[in-house]
Amino acid sequence: MCGIVGYAGPREATDVIVKGLERLEYRGYDSAGIAVLNDGAFTLRRSVGKLGNLRQRLREEPLSGQLGIGHTRWATHGAVTETNAHPHRDSSGKVVVIQNGIVENYLELKNQLLEQGVEFQSQTDTEVIAQLLGRYSHELGDFKRAFAQVMRELRGGNAVVAIHRDHPGLILAARIGNAGAVVVGEGQHENFVASDLPAIVDYTQRMVFLEDGELAVITAEDVSYQTLQGAPLSKTPTVVAWDPVSAAKGGYKHFMQKEIYEQPRTTTDTLRGRVDLEQGSIHLEGLQLSDDELASLERIYAVACGTAWHACLVLKYFVETLARVHVEVDYGSEFRYRNPVFGRNSLLIALTQSGETVDTLAAMAEAREQGVKSLAILNAIGSQAGRLADAGTIYIHSGPEIAVASTKVFTGMLMAGYLFALKLGQARGTLSSDQVREHIQALVEIPGKIDTMLKDFALYEELADRYHNVADMLFLGRWVNAPIALEGALKMKEISYIHAEGYPAGEMKHGPIALIDEQMPVVCIATNDHVYEKMLSNVEQVIARGGRVIALVNPGDTLVRAKAQHVIEVPATTPLLAPVLNVIPMQIFAYAMAVRRGADVDQPRNLAKSVTVE
Ligand code: F6R
């Protein structure tokens, strides 16, 4: 959500910044803007809509200069207008600011400024920062001290980058709370700042991540770090290995399609170096819990949002089945507000792609306050969740996920969650090495099975042709596949904008069955397990009411095949691992429907990749 890029160095700042913002497009935004220093003054260009509009503005009225900042805005305070787009200036025009996050006390600060006669141009909370910074800079005669003071006065989660006309070579950046990452890229005679690695990883791999309450002082030749209280900090850059080429579409029509196709590799990468088939053991390098600590766990809280929350639901089945530890699943947005009761020997597991989802981070903070450790199953390297996780991390290693709708990271979360459940089961003695060996064997066969599922999209295109005009859909599954029904419905609604509901199939007769008629496609997950016959009954109930059944079945199935209008065959695996395979048709089907409907697959309306506001 919102993107930040800043640059100081010998290159054309506009090129670096706009290219960087393009790399952050996946985060979701509705307007964009840039400020570049030229001839001792900052010139701004802003526009509503996609970056193409800003590029067009810049073609009509070019900006040249070697220092600047740029931003993509996802509106929170004030409508989507050019005036509300960042950067924002103070009334003197000397100070220019961009911000990610929400200034929670902005009204209070704004009222103080209004009383002092300040006139505001926009409705944004960010202009309050610019106006305040302009005032303090003038009063203190020191831009850096003024910036630190403003940051200390803000409440909320904020990443702020500021420049000042009287300090033409300087960019200041700071972070408070959980507004998403602030990454400083240290180059040779040039330095960068951004809200995510892909924006700047083309130029340098030496990255410093700002923590809550830290400030970076950036010029082309030098970067220094300090606290908001002014104490100097020594921070060592992390050398990141992300390949910028892998962030490009690489011949696919959409990032989502590319990411669906990447899953044989990404699921392999999640397993890499972590399974020992000979020994029947699991090695999770980032896990900071001893076997004794694992053995004494009595309760796990799995917390996340959206697709990652569905992964938590599946994790519950994995852990309860394999390790016999009770798992409670919570929405990040609800957890801290329900005053959770933590029992003895509890652990919180946060699942997150970005590692920056504010609600998930807040749940981790809540656990810490109550003395409960957190483990993060996450994808984005260097993100905040990794730093908050005092029980360690299990990186999914899926690489950058650019499409807003999560696909490869979901299967990565399931693979990583399964590894954790095996490790836990072994530590607790619920699984022998022989049993772990059998589970590993099933796990290592998953990537190849996904590969076979990606060979042919024709069936999905036929389905999309047939159903792309429907208004509603239903997704049903039981047991470990109930969360996959929820995920199938979420994928469908977020990228194709078709209203879709996911339910545990047994719930159908308690309400949703009233919706079924001849127009209603119902996706039924009916792969082989101990609830197969129950699922068969649900298929019959749908058909009896005229619904159109699209069924997922394993090879050799005859009973469901005889009833359903459409059948998607999924390779067989163990019943517990079936969700990792069953979600693939959900992803492809949603993708095919969205393409058929001409929707913006990678950047669905109103959605953001990284949700850093409540
Ligand atoms: C949906 C989707 C979102 C995210 C959710 C959590 O396809 O991607 O529902 O799963 O916003 O994001 P992370 O995993 O970054 O915490």
Side-chain angles (χ1 to χ4, degrees):
M1 233 168 211
C2 301
I4 282 178
V5 184
Y7 175 72
R11 301 173 203 255
E12 274 297 341
T14 309
D15 295 344
V16 176
I17 292 167
V18 176
K19 198 170 151 204
L21 291 176
E22 279 170 356
R23 285 278 167 81
L24 300 180
E25 276 195 295
Y26 68 92
R27 294 164 70 94
Y29 67 102
D30 42 45
S31 54
I34 180 169
V36 169
L37 179 70
N38 188 344
D39 267 349
F42 287 115
T43 314
L44 267 61
R45 300 275 182 269
R46 300 183 292 191
S47 63
V48 166
K50 295 284 171 185
L51 277 169
N53 298 349
L54 182 65
R55 274 206 182 276
Q56 183 58 31
R57 275 298 300 280
L58 288 163
R59 270 194 292 276
E60 289 157 12
E61 299 172 88
L63 279 187
S64 178
Q66 274 69 48
L67 182 138
I69 58 178
H71 188 265
T72 43
R73 172 177 188 248
W74 190 84
T76 56
H77 297 69
V80 181
T81 62
E82 194 174 313
T83 321
N84 285 334
H86 301 208
H88 290 283
R89 267 182 293 216
D90 74 328
S91 303
S92 75
K94 288 187 174 184
V95 165
V96 180
V97 169
I98 54 180
Q99 190 244 156
N100 282 1
I102 289 179
V103 182
E104 286 174 6
N105 56 338
Y106 97 102
L107 260 187
E108 182 189 321
L109 295 171
K110 186 168 182 172
N111 285 337
Q112 285 166 15
L113 288 162
L114 285 170
E115 273 167 29
Q116 292 163 23
V118 174
E119 285 181 18
F120 283 81
Q121 304 298 315
S122 74
Q123 287 103 44
T124 64
D125 52 348
T126 304
E127 193 186 344
V128 172
I129 303 176
Q131 298 288 7
L132 209 54
L133 185 54
R135 291 237 135 187
Y136 290 169
S137 298
H138 180 69
E139 282 164 23
L140 297 170
D142 182 330
F143 180 40
K144 196 169 72 180
R145 269 181 57 212
F147 184 64
Q149 180 166 334
V150 172
M151 291 305 298
R152 288 198 304 269
E153 285 181 21
L154 301 184
R155 272 207 318 273
N158 309 98
V160 184
V161 178
I163 47 183
H164 193 299
R165 197 173 73 190
D166 298 343
H167 303 269
L170 187 63
I171 300 176
L172 298 179
R175 166 180 189 157
I176 56 164
N178 294 323
V182 180
V183 191
V184 177
E186 297 189 356
Q188 296 273 330
H189 308 295
E190 59 181 351
N191 289 304
F192 307 79
V193 62
S195 50
D196 206 351
L197 296 175
I200 52 178
V201 77
D202 276 1
Y203 309 99
T204 178
Q205 278 77 54
R206 289 165 53 79
M207 304 290 182
V208 171
F209 298 90
L210 294 194
E211 303 281 349
D212 180 9
E214 292 184 350
L215 186 158
V217 182
I218 303 162
T219 65
E221 294 298 335
D222 187 47
V223 188
S224 63
Y225 303 93
Q226 60 167 75
T227 65
L228 293 182
Q229 283 66 37
L233 290 169
S234 144
K235 289 179 80 77
T236 313
T238 306
V239 178
V240 299
W242 277 10
D243 171 10
V245 179
S246 76
K249 269 187 209 145
Y252 291 97
K253 199 165 167 212
H254 298 98
F255 280 113
M256 184 177 174
Q257 187 190 25
K258 174 174 179 266
E259 287 157 7
I260 289 172
Y261 269 101
E262 279 175 348
Q263 290 176 103
R265 178 176 60 74
T266 54
T267 46
T268 308
D269 287 345
T270 311
L271 298 181
R272 208 178 286 282
R274 289 172 166 166
V275 292
D276 186 332
L277 198 49
E278 264 176 43
Q279 300 290 325
S281 64
I282 305 293
H283 171 67
L284 295 172
E285 66 288 354
L287 181 66
Q288 289 166 20
L289 294 174
S290 65
D291 279 0
D292 283 348
E293 283 172 300
L294 290 172
S296 64
L297 283 180
E298 289 173 33
R299 187 172 290 240
I300 290 174
Y301 298 82
V303 184
C305 304
T307 284
W309 183 76
H310 297 151
C312 288
L313 295 175
V314 180
L315 179 74
K316 177 179 167 75
Y317 290 97
F318 289 170
V319 169
E320 292 191 345
T321 307
L322 298 172
R324 306 304 294 154
V325 181
H326 175 80
V327 181
E328 269 185 40
V329 178
D330 262 280
Y331 290 108
S333 54
E334 290 293 321
F335 190 68
R336 76 187 124 152
Y337 297 117
R338 75 168 170 88
N339 193 10
V341 182
F342 287 105
R344 275 185 323 141
N345 299 326
S346 295
L347 172 72
L348 183 134
I349 305 184
L351 274 72
T352 171
Q353 186 289 127
S354 61
E356 301 290 351
T357 300
V358 71
D359 288 323
T360 305
L361 296 178
M364 295 175 83
E366 174 75 29
R368 177 176 286 198
E369 252 173 49
Q370 301 211 30
V372 171
K373 285 190 177 177
S374 298
L375 168 73
I377 296 183
L378 81 168
N379 190 44
I381 291 156
S383 56
Q384 183 69 353
R387 290 193 288 271
L388 279 178
D390 42 11
T393 51
I394 303 176
Y395 276 100
I396 296 161
H397 295 308
S398 300
E401 190 178 64
I402 306 294
V404 166
S406 185
T407 52
K408 63 176 180 174
V409 166
F410 181 74
T411 47
M413 283 175 176
L414 300 192
M415 298 293 275
Y418 204 84
L419 289 177
F420 174 74
L422 291 178
K423 174 91 189 157
L424 187 61
Q426 206 159 29
R428 295 171 61 78
T430 55
L431 292 174
S432 67
S433 298
D434 280 346
Q435 286 169 315
V436 171
R437 205 169 289 129
E438 280 167 27
H439 286 285
I440 294 176
Q441 186 55 47
L443 267 178
V444 298
E445 288 172 11
I446 291 287
K449 290 180 177 171
I450 296 178
D451 200 34
T452 62
M453 299 170 79
L454 299 173
K455 296 274 183 262
D456 189 7
F457 270 31
L459 169 62
Y460 300 95
E461 275 154 16
E462 273 167 38
L463 287 173
D465 254 351
R466 167 84 175 74
Y467 292 113
H468 69 277
N469 278 328
V470 299
D472 306 282
M473 291 186 74
L474 204 54
F475 288 73
L476 303 175
R478 279 178 178 261
W479 184 57
V480 72
N481 289 307
I484 301 304
L486 271 58
E487 174 61 6
L490 180 67
K491 282 290 88 86
M492 188 60 74
K493 71 185 123 190
E494 65 184 339
I495 62 168
S496 76
Y497 314 143
I498 293 171
H499 170 235
E501 304 259 10
Y503 276 96
E507 275 294 297
M508 178 179 68
K509 56 190 165 300
H510 300 287
I513 200 163
L515 295 171
I516 295 174
D517 62 14
E518 294 73 25
Q519 312 306 321
M520 173 77 100
V522 184
V523 178
C524 298
I525 307 173
T527 47
N528 297 339
D529 53 28
H530 64 289
V531 288
Y532 172 82
E533 279 170 13
K534 307 274 171 213
M535 205 56 223
L536 180 63
S537 309
N538 294 127
V539 167
E540 279 167 351
Q541 289 158 8
V542 173
I543 287 173
R545 280 147 192 93
R548 320 288 303 171
V549 169
I550 302 165
L552 268 61
V553 299
N554 285 141
D557 181 281
T558 51
L559 300 176
V560 172
R561 193 180 281 272
K563 308 214 173 294
Q565 278 81 10
H566 311 274
V567 163
I568 300 172
E569 213 170 80
V570 180
T573 177
T574 62
L576 199 56
L577 269 174
V580 191
L581 300 182
N582 289 343
V583 75
I584 306 288
M586 305 290 169
Q587 299 169 347
I588 308 173
F589 188 23
Y591 174 77
M593 292 280 264
V595 170
R596 187 69 179 71
R597 287 164 67 91
D600 187 348
V601 174
D602 285 335
Q603 290 166 44
R605 67 183 179 210
N606 306 334
L607 292 179
K609 183 69 182 163
S610 178
V611 183
T612 50
V613 295
E614 271 195 65

